[in-house]
Amino acid sequence: MKIQQLHRWDVTYREAVSIQHGLKEKLVLHDEDFPEQITTIAGADISYSTQSDLFFAAVVLLAYPAMEIIEETCVTQRASFPYIPGLLSFREGPAVLEAFEKLQSVPDVVIFDGQGIAHPRGMGLASHMGLFLDVPSIGCAKKRLVGVHGKVGHVVGDYADLLLDDHVVGAAVRTKNRVKPVFISPGHKIGTRRALDVVLSCCRGYRLPEPVRQAHMTVNRKRLKGVSLDDFMTKQKTGFE
DNA sequence: GCGACAG
DNA sequence: ATCTTGTCGC
């Protein structure tokens, strides 16, 4: 699929923060643009190499609600931005977008392994990517970045609103009985309630919803397979020859 | 100064 | 995120 808009990725901490403030104004946080019926859903994830600064990014497209894999893409890149809480998209964004460019079809909605608007500046990875891809997106993080929430019941489906400055920016959701909840927040072109329903309808007995779980398995599969070095070297050569 | 801090 | 051994529970 094609990327709608872009900005430079070789930025300083200061510039990155400024960019996030500007992008926040463009987010659509309601369901009006969300399709009545969705047929496909995608998940994206990253896997880092230990002995090098290379890492993998994969996108897996699944049929909805069957959760059967339709297509998957994977790319490898060299990390060019450090990991800084709140600026994750500047580290993983470039690779994630490259993986989406290789995807043939356009998913109805995408789930990312990170925050959506439950972010210091309302621009988490899921929101940033959803905006650039111009597609509905949802943030599904395994840990909290910002906000507060009450107790979460321990049955699948139970949840507690995630509050940031008296505003609901997402929810802590139980996706598997007795297992630590995940943090769901709207990315782009979707509201909290709908985001929550979509994620829960994608869970199949594991803590992570299928799209993200499959993407996670794909990147790890590729990394352990050691294809990293070969792929990267090939890409370097073709750039000169 | 101290604690918090997506992946 | 990644590394890493055993261990508790269904």
Side-chain angles (χ1 to χ4, degrees):
Chain A
M1 56 188 293
K2 196 60 184 176
I3 279 59
Q4 296 302 302
Q5 57 173 302
L6 291 171
H7 62 59
R8 329 173 12 224
W9 289 106
D10 58 319
V11 296
T12 62
Y13 174 97
R14 205 48 144 171
E15 297 172 323
V17 170
S18 174
I19 288 173
Q20 294 186 323
H21 277 113
L23 293 177
K24 180 180 180 181
E25 312 306 307
K26 300 184 175 182
L27 286 181
V28 174
L29 300 175
H30 53 60
D31 301 325
E32 285 173 38
D33 293 330
F34 198 82
E36 293 280 325
Q37 294 292 311
I38 62 177
T39 305
T40 61
I41 184 165
D45 192 27
I46 294 285
S47 181
Y48 296 86
S49 172
T50 308
Q51 35 187 245
S52 65
D53 52 350
L54 295 181
F55 62 93
F56 295 93
V59 173
V60 178
L61 183 69
L62 311 170
Y64 186 95
M67 293 297 106
E68 300 169 326
I69 297 178
I70 297 175
E71 180 189 350
E72 58 179 52
T73 66
C74 186
V75 303
T76 179
Q77 270 192 197
R78 193 179 294 287
S80 57
F81 196 89
Y83 168 66
I84 301 173
L87 296 181
L88 181 62
S89 53
F90 286 87
R91 178 178 174 75
E92 304 189 343
V96 170
L97 291 178
E98 191 179 314
F100 269 103
E101 287 186 299
K102 294 178 62 177
L103 200 65
Q104 295 302 301
S105 21
V106 179
D108 289 327
V109 54
V110 185
I111 301 180
F112 291 88
D113 69 316
Q115 311 291 347
I117 61 172
H119 175 279
R121 291 168 290 284
M123 273 307 299
L125 177 70
S127 297
H128 201 148
M129 298 297 101
L131 205 51
F132 278 24
L133 296 169
D134 190 33
V135 67
S137 63
I138 299 170
C140 176
K142 297 179 289 299
K143 293 179 182 176
R144 178 194 69 86
L145 175 59
V146 294
V148 295
H149 66 81
K151 302 294 182 183
V152 182
H154 43 106
V155 173
V156 174
D158 287 341
Y159 71 90
D161 289 333
L162 183 60
L163 304 173
L164 181 58
D165 298 322
D166 286 328
H167 289 308
V168 178
V169 295
V173 189
R174 192 75 65 181
T175 49
K176 179 176 181 182
N177 293 341
R178 302 277 299 176
V179 171
K180 188 197 305 182
V182 295
F183 297 82
I184 304 301
S185 58
H188 181 47
K189 293 187 171 182
I190 193 172
T192 300
R193 182 64 218 188
R194 181 67 68 82
L196 215 161
D197 290 338
V198 171
V199 169
L200 285 174
S201 67
C202 287
C203 292
R204 294 290 183 281
Y206 295 89
R207 179 158 93 118
L208 297 180
E210 286 305 296
V212 175
R213 199 172 76 83
Q214 290 303 327
H216 190 273
M217 292 178 82
T218 296
V219 286
N220 276 320
R221 188 184 308 146
K222 288 287 185 180
R223 180 168 64 80
L224 298 180
K225 194 172 180 180
V227 182
S228 64
L229 198 60
D230 284 350
D231 270 14
F232 196 72
M233 293 308 278
T234 300
K235 194 196 302 181
Q236 293 300 293
K237 289 185 176 179
T238 54
F240 285 96
E241 302 171 325

